[in-house]
Amino acid sequence: MDHAAEAQRTDLMTITRHALNEQGRHPESRGDFTILLSHIVLGCKFVASAVNKAGLAKLIGLAGVTNVQGEEQKKLDVLSNEVFVKALVSSGRTCVLVSEENEEAIFVDAPLRGKYCVCFDPLDGSSNIDCGVSIGTIFGIYMIKEKDNATLEDVLQPGTDMIAAGYCMYGSSCTLVLSTGNGVNGFTLDPSLGEFILTHPNIKIPKKGKIYSVNEGNAQNWDAPTAKFVEKCKFPQDGTSAKSLRYIGSMVADVHRTLLYGGIFLYPADKKSPNGKLRILYEVFPMSFLMEQAGGQAFTGKQRALELVPTEIHQRSPIFLGSYDDVEEMKSLYASESSTA
């Protein structure tokens, strides 16, 4: 890349301009989604700013409350959740909100109701705040059938019904990755402009990767297919090079690397967590949606991840996602396991 030329570039594709361009492809559109997205972007900018000064503003540490998942909430978690809830409600385009930090779904008051449901994890990987590791916000957007008569059933839809998903990663730079069902694009926050600029157009994950990402500390509790797959990554029998292990422990950062460099991200079910650890609505579905849009796959060990139908808002699932060929290999291991069972 010619960085000098990039610095002088004047035709900037901002995330708002990109959304308006997409809107132009749908003549029936009234701009509701663009307005909703602009409020999500505002929330991301606010959290990015708070993350950058967390140590100075005494936002690191525990807030003294425990969230619905039984995890102690950090001050920044609480702040991020409030910011996103208020931003989404005030957009006037949402009807139901599901947050990792709230036990119940939030039904927006009738005068402010719109036609969208947003499921989000306001600050994923927040246990890493203190040590400066990348953390992020994950979100998935659904359309509600009847905004005046919304129920929890409207939220418990399969991932195939999702109309958009994305994440914002707060790290060495602030990057927002978004898909509206027409490919995946990455935007980087330019602090001098206060705008997200398109820097990664039409992201495509490599068909096969050289990296695997998993918490090997759980290896003694894995099922046979996961153990076999990781063994093959480390000791390939076909003469190929061993894969490299990269695991950050922050889903946004691990998935972001997988999306750009290829490979596979694994969070399997195990003896300790037989239903898996990651939440379906605001972790598994949005990341699976992005992976598929980028040409990869997402699999639960039993089925395509996006075809899951959740029965509760904080339900968990195992997940294997990443490069098409790597996930295909994982699927074949599970298929041979079930055929011998």
Side-chain angles (χ1 to χ4, degrees):
M1 182 190 283
D2 183 346
H3 291 282
E6 284 293 303
Q8 299 303 317
R9 198 155 55 96
T10 52
D11 184 24
L12 300 173
M13 178 62 77
T14 66
I15 193 165
T16 307
R17 182 178 158 195
H18 176 81
L20 288 168
N21 285 356
E22 287 289 306
Q23 184 184 316
R25 303 164 83 136
H26 304 278
E28 75 286 358
S29 174
R30 292 171 43 233
D32 287 340
F33 180 80
T34 307
I35 291 167
L36 172 61
L37 182 62
S38 71
H39 280 73
I40 291 173
V41 166
L42 177 63
C44 292
K45 288 176 185 174
F46 188 101
V47 174
S49 171
V51 167
N52 281 339
K53 57 191 179 205
L56 298 170
K58 300 282 189 287
L59 289 170
I60 289 174
L62 301 176
V65 263
T66 302
N67 72 2
V68 56
Q69 315 299 336
E71 303 159 338
E72 284 195 282
Q73 284 179 294
K74 301 228 163 192
K75 294 175 189 173
L76 210 48
D77 281 26
V78 179
L79 177 71
S80 303
N81 192 46
E82 284 178 14
V83 165
F84 275 102
V85 169
K86 285 174 180 169
L88 291 165
V89 170
S90 67
S91 73
R93 301 299 183 276
T94 57
C95 186
V96 191
L97 307 178
V98 173
S99 167
E100 189 210 20
E101 305 296 344
N102 293 97
E103 190 164 357
E104 305 290 338
I106 298 167
F107 288 87
V108 179
D109 292 338
L112 283 171
R113 274 194 186 172
K115 59 183 178 183
Y116 295 107
C117 162
V118 183
C119 305
F120 62 99
D121 184 344
L123 206 60
D124 183 74
S126 54
S127 60
N128 288 313
I129 296 168
D130 305 49
C131 58
V133 168
S134 294
I135 51 183
T137 298
I138 310 172
F139 60 90
I141 303 172
Y142 289 100
M143 191 89 82
I144 293 286
K145 295 177 185 74
E146 280 184 65
K147 68 175 184 180
D148 297 323
N149 194 26
T151 66
L152 209 53
E153 294 305 308
D154 288 307
V155 180
L156 301 172
Q157 301 182 47
T160 47
D161 291 352
M162 198 171 265
I163 60 165
Y167 60 81
C168 188
M169 186 175 71
Y170 315 109
S172 54
S173 60
C174 180
T175 307
L176 197 154
V177 174
L178 174 72
S179 175
T180 55
N182 186 31
V184 182
N185 292 283
F187 303 82
T188 303
L189 182 63
D190 183 334
S192 62
L193 297 173
E195 288 280 7
F196 280 98
I197 308 296
L198 180 64
T199 49
H200 296 74
N202 197 24
I203 297 170
K204 291 290 177 201
I205 186 170
K207 196 155 186 294
K208 191 171 176 65
K210 298 175 182 174
I211 295 170
Y212 72 103
S213 184
V214 66
N215 182 355
E216 291 221 40
N218 294 328
Q220 64 178 349
N221 298 315
W222 288 343
D223 60 16
T226 304
K228 273 184 203 163
F229 180 83
V230 171
E231 187 73 8
K232 283 173 80 173
C233 288
K234 294 196 279 194
F235 306 104
Q237 301 296 308
D238 56 3
T240 57
S241 300
K243 290 187 190 294
S244 296
L245 169 65
R246 298 282 183 274
Y247 186 71
I248 298 164
S250 170
M251 189 190 190
V252 172
D254 279 314
V255 170
H256 186 65
R257 184 201 54 249
T258 305
L259 193 61
L260 296 184
Y261 298 165
I264 185 167
F265 171 83
L266 309 88
Y267 213 118
D270 59 30
K271 291 171 192 162
K272 268 196 315 186
S273 308
N275 297 318
K277 195 83 185 286
L278 298 176
R279 274 65 60 130
I280 294 173
L281 281 177
Y282 41 80
E283 289 174 325
V284 170
F285 277 172
M287 294 310 201
S288 300
F289 185 89
L290 289 165
M291 276 298 164
E292 288 198 5
Q293 285 292 316
Q297 290 196 79
F299 175 64
T300 66
K302 291 180 180 169
Q303 65 184 112
R304 178 186 172 205
L306 289 179
E307 289 176 353
L308 276 170
V309 181
T311 53
E312 50 190 79
I313 61 174
H314 297 295
Q315 191 175 331
R316 300 170 191 257
S317 168
I319 187 67
F320 306 90
L321 52 80
S323 293
Y324 192 94
D325 288 356
D326 292 323
V327 178
E328 199 61 31
E329 193 176 336
M330 192 80 235
K331 284 162 79 173
S332 68
L333 285 169
Y334 270 99
S336 60
E337 172 83 2
S338 60
S339 66
T340 56

